[in-house]
Amino acid sequence: MTREEALDSVKDNVENANLVKHMLATESIMETLARRLGEDEDEWGLTGLLHDIDVELTAGDMNSHSKLGADLVKEMGVSEAVTHAILCHNEAHGIPLETKLDKALFCADPLTGLITAAALVRPDKKLAGVEAKSVGKRFREKGFAAGASREQIASCSELGLELDKFIELGLKAMKGIAKELGL
Ligand SMILES: [Fe+2]
């Protein structure tokens, strides 16, 4: 499946533009992570792009979220590795993270929310002026973007990445597609 086909499928299944942007942001971080770690950029990017494809179809039902998504992407013909990463990114299923790809999606997913929130509190609401240091500060403010699990973001250590480096990498990735993100 091509990247374009994947994006079309995401848009067919997800109406909310902010959710589509969340998946684009996750894609950008996953690609950048793959580049840093010497992994397959296309495969990791695709995983990020598709990971919440069922988010509206499952409408907040955490018992089916990501199970349906994994079924959908499997039907689309993605690899077993991509399917597994998508399946286990929802902790509710209690499926252990096994591969680097599983672990990367797990920590990249909430980082997008923290970085987006850090941009949106600025007067210009843009990513351009956001510094990694300020995202790090926001990370330590428990009440800020509370939905972005700090524990999950910090699990970047499982990939051998320090938190500061991970934030820097994620911010750079998202700045690279700021226009698409509307930030
Ligand atoms: Fe997500």
Side-chain angles (χ1 to χ4, degrees):
M1 121 166 309
T2 66
R3 195 254 172 191
E4 209 183 332
E5 288 164 347
L7 183 57
D8 284 345
S9 305
V10 166
K11 288 180 174 168
D12 284 346
N13 286 287
V14 183
E15 273 184 23
N16 182 318
N18 285 334
L19 290 171
V20 174
K21 285 176 186 169
H22 162 63
M23 284 181 262
L24 290 169
T26 310
E27 176 191 33
S28 74
I29 297 180
M30 289 294 287
E31 272 174 2
T32 309
L33 268 176
R35 206 171 306 136
R36 170 73 61 95
L37 300 171
E39 300 290 335
D40 185 328
E41 286 178 41
D42 291 339
E43 183 176 59
W44 284 40
L46 200 63
T47 307
L49 180 60
L50 291 168
H51 84 278
D52 277 338
I53 192 166
D54 67 357
V55 66
E56 288 180 353
L57 297 168
T58 54
D61 175 6
M62 290 310 269
N63 289 318
S64 55
H65 172 51
S66 93
K67 273 189 180 160
L68 177 63
D71 288 344
L72 286 174
V73 299
K74 199 173 178 181
E75 272 170 37
M76 290 176 201
V78 304
S79 69
E80 183 56 44
V82 174
T83 308
H84 190 267
I86 290 176
L87 177 64
C88 62
H89 94 273
N90 175 8
E91 274 183 303
H93 309 314
I95 302 168
L97 307 174
E98 287 164 5
T99 66
K100 276 191 203 170
L101 181 58
D102 296 345
K103 292 170 186 170
L105 178 61
F106 190 71
C107 61
D109 185 11
L111 181 61
T112 66
L114 181 69
I115 293 174
T116 300
L120 293 179
V121 293
R122 295 174 52 81
D124 63 2
K125 299 192 189 318
K126 298 286 179 211
L127 273 171
V130 178
E131 288 176 27
K133 221 169 85 181
S134 69
V135 179
K137 223 184 260 174
R138 294 299 193 184
F139 178 93
R140 291 183 289 278
E141 276 175 41
K142 282 204 179 93
F144 183 84
S149 163
R150 305 306 200 258
E151 201 184 323
Q152 202 171 325
I153 295 171
S155 72
C156 62
S157 60
E158 297 282 320
L159 295 168
L161 275 174
E162 282 173 25
L163 179 64
D164 290 353
K165 293 283 168 217
F166 181 46
I167 287 174
E168 206 179 294
L169 177 153
L171 180 61
K172 202 172 164 199
M174 285 178 61
K175 280 183 177 179
I177 58 158
K179 211 171 149 202
E180 287 100 309
L181 299 177
L183 291 172

